[in-house]
mmCIF file of all heavy atoms in Angstrom:
data_model
loop_
_atom_site.group_PDB
_atom_site.id
_atom_site.type_symbol
_atom_site.label_atom_id
_atom_site.label_comp_id
_atom_site.label_asym_id
_atom_site.label_seq_id
_atom_site.Cartn_x
_atom_site.Cartn_y
_atom_site.Cartn_z
ATOM 1 N N TYR Q 22 0.134 -9.711 -6.890
ATOM 2 C CA TYR Q 22 -0.971 -10.558 -6.438
ATOM 3 C C TYR Q 22 -2.284 -9.823 -6.694
ATOM 4 O O TYR Q 22 -2.310 -8.588 -6.849
ATOM 5 C CB TYR Q 22 -0.859 -10.871 -4.943
ATOM 6 C CG TYR Q 22 0.290 -11.777 -4.575
ATOM 7 C CD1 TYR Q 22 1.510 -11.245 -4.148
ATOM 8 C CD2 TYR Q 22 0.173 -13.155 -4.660
ATOM 9 C CE1 TYR Q 22 2.575 -12.070 -3.800
ATOM 10 C CE2 TYR Q 22 1.227 -13.998 -4.321
ATOM 11 C CZ TYR Q 22 2.417 -13.446 -3.892
ATOM 12 O OH TYR Q 22 3.466 -14.267 -3.565
ATOM 13 N N TRP Q 23 -3.367 -10.597 -6.724
ATOM 14 C CA TRP Q 23 -4.712 -10.057 -6.863
ATOM 15 C C TRP Q 23 -5.559 -10.539 -5.696
ATOM 16 O O TRP Q 23 -5.342 -11.647 -5.168
ATOM 17 C CB TRP Q 23 -5.318 -10.494 -8.197
ATOM 18 C CG TRP Q 23 -4.686 -9.822 -9.373
ATOM 19 C CD1 TRP Q 23 -5.170 -8.763 -10.080
ATOM 20 C CD2 TRP Q 23 -3.422 -10.144 -9.992
ATOM 21 N NE1 TRP Q 23 -4.312 -8.398 -11.088
ATOM 22 C CE2 TRP Q 23 -3.223 -9.240 -11.065
ATOM 23 C CE3 TRP Q 23 -2.446 -11.118 -9.745
ATOM 24 C CZ2 TRP Q 23 -2.100 -9.262 -11.869
ATOM 25 C CZ3 TRP Q 23 -1.323 -11.146 -10.554
ATOM 26 C CH2 TRP Q 23 -1.144 -10.236 -11.600
ATOM 27 N N TYR Q 24 -6.531 -9.719 -5.282
ATOM 28 C CA TYR Q 24 -7.298 -10.045 -4.070
ATOM 29 C C TYR Q 24 -8.749 -9.606 -4.239
ATOM 30 O O TYR Q 24 -9.075 -8.759 -5.082
ATOM 31 C CB TYR Q 24 -6.675 -9.379 -2.841
ATOM 32 C CG TYR Q 24 -6.646 -7.867 -2.918
ATOM 33 C CD1 TYR Q 24 -7.652 -7.088 -2.360
ATOM 34 C CD2 TYR Q 24 -5.591 -7.196 -3.563
ATOM 35 C CE1 TYR Q 24 -7.625 -5.701 -2.430
ATOM 36 C CE2 TYR Q 24 -5.553 -5.815 -3.647
ATOM 37 C CZ TYR Q 24 -6.571 -5.079 -3.078
ATOM 38 O OH TYR Q 24 -6.551 -3.708 -3.164
ATOM 39 N N GLN Q 25 -9.605 -10.191 -3.407
ATOM 40 C CA GLN Q 25 -11.040 -9.907 -3.475
ATOM 41 C C GLN Q 25 -11.682 -10.257 -2.140
ATOM 42 O O GLN Q 25 -11.199 -11.137 -1.410
ATOM 43 C CB GLN Q 25 -11.675 -10.718 -4.606
ATOM 44 C CG GLN Q 25 -13.106 -10.321 -4.954
ATOM 45 C CD GLN Q 25 -13.606 -11.041 -6.202
ATOM 46 O OE1 GLN Q 25 -13.228 -12.186 -6.448
ATOM 47 N NE2 GLN Q 25 -14.425 -10.371 -7.006
ATOM 48 N N PHE Q 26 -12.794 -9.577 -1.839
ATOM 49 C CA PHE Q 26 -13.567 -9.839 -0.626
ATOM 50 C C PHE Q 26 -14.956 -10.342 -0.998
ATOM 51 O O PHE Q 26 -15.471 -10.063 -2.089
ATOM 52 C CB PHE Q 26 -13.713 -8.559 0.204
ATOM 53 C CG PHE Q 26 -12.415 -7.994 0.701
ATOM 54 C CD1 PHE Q 26 -11.739 -7.018 -0.026
ATOM 55 C CD2 PHE Q 26 -11.869 -8.415 1.902
ATOM 56 C CE1 PHE Q 26 -10.540 -6.479 0.427
ATOM 57 C CE2 PHE Q 26 -10.676 -7.886 2.370
ATOM 58 C CZ PHE Q 26 -10.018 -6.926 1.631
ATOM 59 N N LYS Q 27 -15.567 -11.045 -0.058
ATOM 60 C CA LYS Q 27 -16.945 -11.498 -0.216
ATOM 61 C C LYS Q 27 -17.646 -11.415 1.130
ATOM 62 O O LYS Q 27 -17.077 -11.794 2.159
ATOM 63 C CB LYS Q 27 -17.006 -12.934 -0.743
ATOM 64 C CG LYS Q 27 -18.428 -13.440 -0.954
ATOM 65 C CD LYS Q 27 -18.453 -14.870 -1.481
ATOM 66 C CE LYS Q 27 -19.880 -15.345 -1.692
ATOM 67 N NZ LYS Q 27 -19.933 -16.753 -2.157
ATOM 68 N N VAL Q 28 -18.878 -10.927 1.125
ATOM 69 C CA VAL Q 28 -19.697 -10.912 2.330
ATOM 70 C C VAL Q 28 -21.114 -11.274 1.924
ATOM 71 O O VAL Q 28 -21.682 -10.702 1.002
ATOM 72 C CB VAL Q 28 -19.636 -9.531 3.024
ATOM 73 C CG1 VAL Q 28 -20.112 -8.420 2.118
ATOM 74 C CG2 VAL Q 28 -20.427 -9.553 4.322
ATOM 75 N N GLY Q 29 -21.668 -12.285 2.576
ATOM 76 C CA GLY Q 29 -22.963 -12.797 2.142
ATOM 77 C C GLY Q 29 -22.887 -13.263 0.701
ATOM 78 O O GLY Q 29 -21.998 -14.040 0.331
ATOM 79 N N ASN Q 30 -23.763 -12.733 -0.136
ATOM 80 C CA ASN Q 30 -23.750 -13.067 -1.566
ATOM 81 C C ASN Q 30 -23.084 -11.982 -2.416
ATOM 82 O O ASN Q 30 -23.134 -12.048 -3.647
ATOM 83 C CB ASN Q 30 -25.184 -13.289 -2.058
ATOM 84 C CG ASN Q 30 -25.827 -14.502 -1.403
ATOM 85 O OD1 ASN Q 30 -25.175 -15.529 -1.225
ATOM 86 N ND2 ASN Q 30 -27.097 -14.362 -1.038
ATOM 87 N N GLU Q 31 -22.462 -11.016 -1.765
ATOM 88 C CA GLU Q 31 -21.868 -9.888 -2.488
ATOM 89 C C GLU Q 31 -20.350 -10.045 -2.563
ATOM 90 O O GLU Q 31 -19.700 -10.440 -1.595
ATOM 91 C CB GLU Q 31 -22.204 -8.578 -1.774
ATOM 92 C CG GLU Q 31 -23.698 -8.322 -1.599
ATOM 93 C CD GLU Q 31 -24.365 -7.867 -2.884
ATOM 94 O OE1 GLU Q 31 -23.673 -7.739 -3.922
ATOM 95 O OE2 GLU Q 31 -25.586 -7.618 -2.845
ATOM 96 N N VAL Q 32 -19.791 -9.711 -3.720
ATOM 97 C CA VAL Q 32 -18.336 -9.768 -3.902
ATOM 98 C C VAL Q 32 -17.816 -8.383 -4.263
ATOM 99 O O VAL Q 32 -18.495 -7.591 -4.918
ATOM 100 C CB VAL Q 32 -17.927 -10.791 -4.982
ATOM 101 C CG1 VAL Q 32 -18.272 -12.201 -4.539
ATOM 102 C CG2 VAL Q 32 -18.559 -10.452 -6.311
ATOM 103 N N SER Q 33 -16.613 -8.103 -3.835
ATOM 104 C CA SER Q 33 -15.986 -6.805 -4.087
ATOM 105 C C SER Q 33 -15.349 -6.780 -5.464
ATOM 106 O O SER Q 33 -15.163 -7.820 -6.102
ATOM 107 C CB SER Q 33 -14.919 -6.549 -3.026
ATOM 108 O OG SER Q 33 -13.762 -7.343 -3.285
ATOM 109 N N PRO Q 34 -14.943 -5.610 -5.931
ATOM 110 C CA PRO Q 34 -14.053 -5.561 -7.092
ATOM 111 C C PRO Q 34 -12.743 -6.285 -6.775
ATOM 112 O O PRO Q 34 -12.391 -6.479 -5.604
ATOM 113 C CB PRO Q 34 -13.824 -4.060 -7.299
ATOM 114 C CG PRO Q 34 -14.920 -3.381 -6.555
ATOM 115 C CD PRO Q 34 -15.269 -4.267 -5.414
ATOM 116 N N ILE Q 35 -12.020 -6.654 -7.809
ATOM 117 C CA ILE Q 35 -10.707 -7.281 -7.641
ATOM 118 C C ILE Q 35 -9.652 -6.183 -7.587
ATOM 119 O O ILE Q 35 -9.641 -5.266 -8.404
ATOM 120 C CB ILE Q 35 -10.412 -8.251 -8.794
ATOM 121 C CG1 ILE Q 35 -11.387 -9.426 -8.761
ATOM 122 C CG2 ILE Q 35 -8.970 -8.763 -8.720
ATOM 123 C CD1 ILE Q 35 -11.271 -10.353 -9.962
ATOM 124 N N GLY Q 36 -8.773 -6.277 -6.595
ATOM 125 C CA GLY Q 36 -7.659 -5.358 -6.492
ATOM 126 C C GLY Q 36 -6.349 -6.051 -6.810
ATOM 127 O O GLY Q 36 -6.245 -7.276 -6.767
ATOM 128 N N ARG Q 37 -5.346 -5.243 -7.133
ATOM 129 C CA ARG Q 37 -4.018 -5.765 -7.419
ATOM 130 C C ARG Q 37 -3.027 -5.174 -6.423
ATOM 131 O O ARG Q 37 -3.121 -4.000 -6.050
ATOM 132 C CB ARG Q 37 -3.592 -5.391 -8.844
ATOM 133 C CG ARG Q 37 -2.271 -6.015 -9.289
ATOM 134 C CD ARG Q 37 -1.880 -5.570 -10.682
ATOM 135 N NE ARG Q 37 -1.508 -4.153 -10.728
ATOM 136 C CZ ARG Q 37 -0.745 -3.622 -11.680
ATOM 137 N NH1 ARG Q 37 -0.282 -4.375 -12.671
ATOM 138 N NH2 ARG Q 37 -0.457 -2.331 -11.663
ATOM 139 N N THR Q 38 -2.071 -5.977 -5.984
ATOM 140 C CA THR Q 38 -1.068 -5.480 -5.056
ATOM 141 C C THR Q 38 0.280 -6.102 -5.368
ATOM 142 O O THR Q 38 0.380 -6.997 -6.221
ATOM 143 C CB THR Q 38 -1.487 -5.761 -3.601
ATOM 144 O OG1 THR Q 38 -0.628 -5.036 -2.711
ATOM 145 C CG2 THR Q 38 -1.422 -7.254 -3.277
ATOM 146 N N ARG Q 39 1.311 -5.638 -4.683
ATOM 147 C CA ARG Q 39 2.666 -6.137 -4.933
ATOM 148 C C ARG Q 39 3.447 -6.141 -3.625
ATOM 149 O O ARG Q 39 3.390 -5.166 -2.854
ATOM 150 C CB ARG Q 39 3.383 -5.270 -5.961
ATOM 151 C CG ARG Q 39 4.767 -5.782 -6.351
ATOM 152 C CD ARG Q 39 5.353 -4.970 -7.498
ATOM 153 N NE ARG Q 39 6.723 -5.365 -7.821
ATOM 154 C CZ ARG Q 39 7.053 -6.390 -8.606
ATOM 155 N NH1 ARG Q 39 6.080 -7.139 -9.141
ATOM 156 N NH2 ARG Q 39 8.316 -6.691 -8.859
ATOM 157 N N THR Q 40 4.171 -7.197 -3.376
ATOM 158 C CA THR Q 40 5.026 -7.273 -2.207
ATOM 159 C C THR Q 40 6.343 -6.559 -2.464
ATOM 160 O O THR Q 40 6.742 -6.333 -3.610
ATOM 161 C CB THR Q 40 5.304 -8.734 -1.825
ATOM 162 O OG1 THR Q 40 5.755 -9.441 -3.000
ATOM 163 C CG2 THR Q 40 4.058 -9.413 -1.271
ATOM 164 N N ALA Q 41 7.023 -6.220 -1.388
ATOM 165 C CA ALA Q 41 8.330 -5.574 -1.489
ATOM 166 C C ALA Q 41 9.416 -6.613 -1.755
ATOM 167 O O ALA Q 41 9.287 -7.774 -1.363
ATOM 168 C CB ALA Q 41 8.636 -4.829 -0.194
ATOM 169 N N PRO Q 42 10.501 -6.222 -2.392
ATOM 170 C CA PRO Q 42 11.660 -7.102 -2.474
ATOM 171 C C PRO Q 42 12.270 -7.306 -1.073
ATOM 172 O O PRO Q 42 12.082 -6.482 -0.178
ATOM 173 C CB PRO Q 42 12.634 -6.342 -3.382
ATOM 174 C CG PRO Q 42 11.843 -5.239 -3.999
ATOM 175 C CD PRO Q 42 10.724 -4.934 -3.079
ATOM 176 N N THR Q 43 12.992 -8.355 -0.892
ATOM 177 C CA THR Q 43 13.665 -8.618 0.375
ATOM 178 C C THR Q 43 14.762 -7.576 0.601
ATOM 179 O O THR Q 43 15.517 -7.268 -0.326
ATOM 180 C CB THR Q 43 14.282 -10.022 0.371
ATOM 181 O OG1 THR Q 43 13.236 -10.979 0.157
ATOM 182 C CG2 THR Q 43 14.996 -10.318 1.677
ATOM 183 N N PRO Q 44 14.861 -7.003 1.805
ATOM 184 C CA PRO Q 44 15.938 -6.044 2.070
ATOM 185 C C PRO Q 44 17.302 -6.624 1.717
ATOM 186 O O PRO Q 44 17.621 -7.764 2.073
ATOM 187 C CB PRO Q 44 15.809 -5.773 3.565
ATOM 188 C CG PRO Q 44 14.360 -6.013 3.863
ATOM 189 C CD PRO Q 44 13.962 -7.154 2.973
ATOM 190 N N GLY Q 45 18.088 -5.851 0.999
ATOM 191 C CA GLY Q 45 19.415 -6.292 0.595
ATOM 192 C C GLY Q 45 19.473 -6.944 -0.761
ATOM 193 O O GLY Q 45 20.556 -7.017 -1.364
ATOM 194 N N ASP Q 46 18.331 -7.437 -1.266
ATOM 195 C CA ASP Q 46 18.338 -8.039 -2.600
ATOM 196 C C ASP Q 46 18.619 -6.974 -3.658
ATOM 197 O O ASP Q 46 18.144 -5.834 -3.560
ATOM 198 C CB ASP Q 46 16.995 -8.704 -2.902
ATOM 199 C CG ASP Q 46 16.874 -10.079 -2.258
ATOM 200 O OD1 ASP Q 46 17.818 -10.479 -1.540
ATOM 201 O OD2 ASP Q 46 15.845 -10.743 -2.473
ATOM 202 N N GLN Q 47 19.365 -7.362 -4.677
ATOM 203 C CA GLN Q 47 19.706 -6.418 -5.730
ATOM 204 C C GLN Q 47 18.486 -6.111 -6.582
ATOM 205 O O GLN Q 47 17.853 -7.002 -7.140
ATOM 206 C CB GLN Q 47 20.820 -6.984 -6.610
ATOM 207 C CG GLN Q 47 21.281 -6.031 -7.695
ATOM 208 C CD GLN Q 47 22.458 -6.568 -8.496
ATOM 209 O OE1 GLN Q 47 23.119 -7.493 -8.056
ATOM 210 N NE2 GLN Q 47 22.690 -5.989 -9.662
ATOM 211 N N ILE Q 48 18.157 -4.831 -6.681
ATOM 212 C CA ILE Q 48 17.002 -4.359 -7.444
ATOM 213 C C ILE Q 48 17.497 -3.400 -8.510
ATOM 214 O O ILE Q 48 18.223 -2.446 -8.213
ATOM 215 C CB ILE Q 48 15.978 -3.651 -6.526
ATOM 216 C CG1 ILE Q 48 15.546 -4.567 -5.377
ATOM 217 C CG2 ILE Q 48 14.770 -3.193 -7.337
ATOM 218 C CD1 ILE Q 48 14.906 -5.854 -5.826
ATOM 219 N N ASN Q 49 17.119 -3.635 -9.735
ATOM 220 C CA ASN Q 49 17.591 -2.805 -10.847
ATOM 221 C C ASN Q 49 16.689 -1.625 -11.147
ATOM 222 O O ASN Q 49 17.130 -0.661 -11.783
ATOM 223 C CB ASN Q 49 17.748 -3.665 -12.101
ATOM 224 C CG ASN Q 49 18.840 -4.704 -11.953
ATOM 225 O OD1 ASN Q 49 19.883 -4.436 -11.351
ATOM 226 N ND2 ASN Q 49 18.599 -5.898 -12.487
ATOM 227 N N GLN Q 50 15.427 -1.703 -10.691
ATOM 228 C CA GLN Q 50 14.495 -0.618 -10.999
ATOM 229 C C GLN Q 50 13.341 -0.640 -10.002
ATOM 230 O O GLN Q 50 12.882 -1.706 -9.574
ATOM 231 C CB GLN Q 50 13.948 -0.792 -12.422
ATOM 232 C CG GLN Q 50 13.047 0.342 -12.903
ATOM 233 C CD GLN Q 50 12.511 0.068 -14.304
ATOM 234 O OE1 GLN Q 50 11.755 -0.878 -14.520
ATOM 235 N NE2 GLN Q 50 12.916 0.890 -15.260
ATOM 236 N N PHE Q 51 12.893 0.549 -9.620
ATOM 237 C CA PHE Q 51 11.735 0.685 -8.736
ATOM 238 C C PHE Q 51 10.996 1.936 -9.156
ATOM 239 O O PHE Q 51 11.586 3.010 -9.310
ATOM 240 C CB PHE Q 51 12.184 0.790 -7.276
ATOM 241 C CG PHE Q 51 11.058 0.904 -6.292
ATOM 242 C CD1 PHE Q 51 10.296 -0.206 -5.960
ATOM 243 C CD2 PHE Q 51 10.761 2.114 -5.692
ATOM 244 C CE1 PHE Q 51 9.255 -0.093 -5.045
ATOM 245 C CE2 PHE Q 51 9.730 2.234 -4.783
ATOM 246 C CZ PHE Q 51 8.973 1.121 -4.453
#
């Protein structure tokens, strides 16, 4: 996912993030 903040007329840089897989789900690589 990507995210951003705004306050007044100012906007932040865009950041990138990632959620975790569901516990127990098969994951091939991390």
